[in-house]
C-alpha cells in the first residue's frame, strides 16, 4: 500500500511520523500496538538513509507484506484453491521520482540495483536477480499504457529472504504499488498488481511460480483464492479471529533457507505438466480427479512416480482448502486444526 499519499519533504515527514501522525496507518499495517514505537523508528531510519543517499526533497512511503500459506500447498500453479494470509512483516520503501529513465533502488544489506527503462525486455544476464523483477514489473505496466519513468528508492525489509514468507513476492508487489502510485494514478487494482508481479517473476526472473504469494501480499488479510479462471481469480476474505479461541499464527526463524531453490521449485510444475499432457490439458484443475486416479496404471508408464505422487498431493490439498475455510467460517477451530494436521 501507499503509506503516505501526501507529498512531504523528508524533514517534514520525519516529524510527522515521530509525532504519531501516521499511527492509525501503522496500527492497520502491523496490528500489534506494542510495535508502534519500533515501526516509527524504522520508518524514520529509512527516511534518514534515503536522505543520505538521494538528498532532501519530496518523498512517499510504500509497504508490501510477506505472506503465509495456510492451506493449498502447490495448488496455485495448477489453478487450484488456497488459503493464505498476509503477515505483519513487510518490505517498506521511501521513494521519489528522479526525472530520468533510470530506477535506482538500494535495499539494506544489498548493492545498489540500477535498471535503465530504455530496454523493457528480458535480459539473460539478469535471470534470478532483483533487476529482472524491477524491469519485468515496469515492462508490464508499460504494456498497459503506463508512462513508467525513473525513481529512487531505499528499502528495508523484515521479510527475510529465503524464509518461506515470500520476500520476492513482497518486493514485486512493492514495486508494482510504487509504479501504480507514481505514474498510473492507481488505475491498476491490487489483484492486478499481483498478476504483474507474477509476470515479472515468470518471464523476466525465470521462475514458473503460481499466483498465491503475490495475491496474498497485494490483497492483505486472511483470504481464500480460487485461481481456476487465471485472468480473474476469485478472492474472498475469511473473517476469523484466531485470538478469540486462544491461538495465534506464529512466525519462527528456523535458520533454514528457501533461497536458490528455483530449479527444485520449477521441477514441481514441470513434472505435473507431464501428467497433464497425458490428458491433453494444461493444468490439473481441468482433469477430473476420478479420471486421474483411474489412469494411474497407464500414467506410470509415461510419467515418473514422483509426478504421479505430486498430482495426488494436489488433489488432496485442493479439496482440503474449502473444508478449512468452511470450518473457520463456522467457528469450528478444532475441525480446522484437524484439517491442517
Amino acid at each position: 500500500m501507499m503509506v503516505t499519499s501526501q507529498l512531504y519533504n523528508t524533514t517534514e515527514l520525519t516529524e510527522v511520523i515521530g509525532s504519531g501522525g501516521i499511527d492509525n496507518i501503522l496500527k492497520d499495517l502491523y496490528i500489534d500496538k506494542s510495535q508502534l514505537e519500533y515501526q516509527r523508528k524504522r520508518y524514520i531510519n529509512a527516511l534518514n538513509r534515503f536522505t543520505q543517499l538521494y538528498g532532501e526533497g519530496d518523498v512517499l512511503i510504500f509497504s508490501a507484506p510477506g505472506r503465509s500459506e495456510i492451506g493449498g500447498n502447490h495448488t496455485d500453479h495448477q489453478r487450484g484453491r488456497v488459503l493464505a494470509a498476509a503477515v505483519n512483516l513487510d518490505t517498506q520503501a521511501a521513494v521519489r521520482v528522479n526525472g530520468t529513465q533510470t530506477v535506482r533502488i538500494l535495499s539494506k544489506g544489498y548493492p545498489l540495483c540500477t535498471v535503465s527503462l530504455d530496454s523493457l525486455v528480458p535480459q539473460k544476464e539478469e535471470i534470478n536477480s532483483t533487476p529482472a523483477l524491477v524491469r519485468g514489473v515496469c515492462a508490464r505496466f508499460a504494456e498497459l499504457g503506463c508512462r513508467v519513468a525513473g525513481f529512487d528508492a531505499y528499502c528495508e525489509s523484515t521479510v527475510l529472504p529465503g524464509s518461506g514468507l515470500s520476500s520476492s513476492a513482497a518486493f514485486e508487489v512493492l514495486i508494482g504499488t510504487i509504479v501504480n502510485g507514481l505514474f498510473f494514478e492507481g488505475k491498476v487494482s491490487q489483484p492486478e498488481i499481483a498478476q504483474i508481479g507474477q509476470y515479472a517473476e515468470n518471464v523476466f526472473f525465470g521462475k514458473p511460480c503460481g499466483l498465491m504469494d503475490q495475491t496474498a501480499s497485494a490483497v492483505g488479510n486472511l483470504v481464500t483464492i480460487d485461481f481456476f479462471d487465471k485472468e480473474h481469480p476469485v478472492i474472498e476474505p475469511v473473517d476469523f479471529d484466531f485470538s478469540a479461541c486462544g491461538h495465534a499464527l506464529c512466525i519462527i526463524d528456523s535458520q533454514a533457507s528457501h533461497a536458490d531453490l528455483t530449479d527444485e521449485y520449477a521441477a514441481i510444475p514441470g513434472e505435473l505438466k507431464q501428467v497433464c499432457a497425458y490428458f491433453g490439458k494444461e493444468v490439473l484443475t481441468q482433469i477430473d480427479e476420478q479420471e486421474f486416479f483411474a489412469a494411474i496404471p497407464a500414467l506410470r508408464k509415461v510419467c515418473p512416480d514422483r509426478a504421479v505422487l505430486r498430482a495426488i498431493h494436489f488433489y488432496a490439498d485442493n479439496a482440503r482448502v474449502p473444508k478449512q475455510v468452511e470450518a473457520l467460517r463456522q467457528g469450528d477451530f478444532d475441525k480446522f486444526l484437524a484439517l491442517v494436521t
Side-chain angles (χ1 to χ4, degrees):
M1 68 173 293
M2 185 185 290
V3 179
T4 53
S5 55
Q6 178 182 342
L7 273 175
Y8 293 93
N9 70 42
T10 46
T11 300
E12 289 173 340
L13 186 52
T14 299
E15 293 172 355
V16 168
I17 294 172
S19 64
I22 65 167
D23 277 5
N24 286 340
I25 296 171
L26 297 181
K27 289 175 186 175
D28 285 343
L29 283 177
Y30 304 106
I31 309 301
D32 185 356
K33 293 179 182 179
S34 68
Q35 283 199 21
L36 272 179
E37 184 61 28
Y38 163 72
Q39 294 297 346
R40 287 192 210 108
K41 290 179 179 177
R42 184 170 164 241
Y43 278 89
I44 289 171
N45 289 339
L47 285 170
N48 290 339
R49 185 70 178 114
F50 179 90
T51 303
Q52 293 169 5
L53 290 166
Y54 307 114
E56 280 278 359
D58 291 341
V59 67
L60 290 167
I61 295 176
F62 296 80
S63 164
R67 69 92 191 98
S68 178
E69 169 197 300
I70 296 174
N73 179 245
H74 284 287
T75 53
D76 57 335
H77 52 69
Q78 297 302 303
R79 306 219 301 263
R81 296 180 288 250
V82 301
L83 177 62
V87 298
N88 61 352
L89 301 175
D90 70 335
T91 301
Q92 57 162 232
V95 182
R96 176 189 302 149
V97 176
N98 62 24
T100 74
Q101 281 298 104
T102 300
V103 174
R104 298 187 299 174
I105 302 173
L106 183 69
S107 296
K108 184 178 181 181
Y110 294 90
L112 181 69
C113 167
T114 302
V115 176
S116 171
L117 301 178
D118 293 333
S119 176
L120 292 177
V121 296
Q123 309 291 310
K124 185 179 292 186
E125 66 276 10
E126 289 182 351
I127 289 175
N128 289 329
S129 74
T130 298
L133 297 176
V134 176
R135 194 182 304 278
V137 169
C138 291
R140 185 68 186 120
F141 267 97
E143 290 174 1
L144 295 172
C146 174
R147 289 190 172 186
V148 187
F151 60 88
D152 295 329
Y154 174 71
C155 299
E156 291 192 3
S157 183
T158 51
V159 188
L160 298 176
S163 63
L165 297 171
S166 203
S167 59
S168 59
F171 183 77
E172 293 154 20
V173 169
L174 179 73
I175 300 304
T177 305
I178 290 170
V179 173
N180 197 35
L182 293 183
F183 307 115
F184 214 33
E185 300 176 341
K187 293 178 182 177
V188 172
S189 70
Q190 291 306 116
E192 289 169 329
I193 286 175
Q195 291 171 323
I196 290 169
Q198 182 197 30
Y199 170 84
E201 192 158 347
N202 288 176
V203 178
F204 284 72
F205 187 86
K207 182 176 180 179
C209 67
L211 190 55
M212 175 183 69
D213 298 350
Q214 294 87 349
T215 305
S217 176
V219 174
N221 294 313
L222 178 65
V223 292
T224 184
I225 312 164
D226 188 333
F227 291 108
F228 185 73
D229 183 344
K230 63 181 179 181
E231 299 301 327
H232 304 95
V234 178
I235 305 166
E236 297 179 359
V238 180
D239 187 15
F240 186 81
D241 183 2
F242 287 93
S243 62
C245 54
H247 287 76
L249 176 65
C250 299
I251 299 166
I252 299 168
D253 185 359
S254 66
Q255 302 295 314
S257 176
H258 287 198
D260 302 320
L261 294 178
T262 295
D263 291 345
E264 285 80 358
Y265 178 97
I268 300 171
E271 290 180 4
L272 292 177
K273 280 183 179 178
Q274 297 177 54
V275 175
C276 294
Y278 175 86
F279 295 94
K281 302 295 183 181
E282 182 186 357
V283 290
L284 289 174
T285 43
Q286 298 169 330
I287 304 166
D288 179 77
E289 181 177 355
Q290 296 308 313
E291 184 182 359
F292 159 76
F293 276 99
I296 284 179
L299 277 170
R300 294 187 64 200
K301 296 176 182 178
V302 295
C303 298
D305 277 357
R306 190 169 70 172
V308 175
L309 288 169
R310 281 177 164 163
I312 293 171
H313 173 83
F314 164 81
Y315 283 112
D317 256 43
N318 199 48
R320 190 176 295 114
V321 169
K323 296 176 183 178
Q324 291 175 329
V325 171
E326 183 62 21
L328 290 177
R329 286 177 171 164
Q330 294 295 325
D332 191 341
F333 192 71
D334 289 340
K335 183 177 180 180
F336 169 76
L337 284 183
L339 289 163
V340 169
T341 302

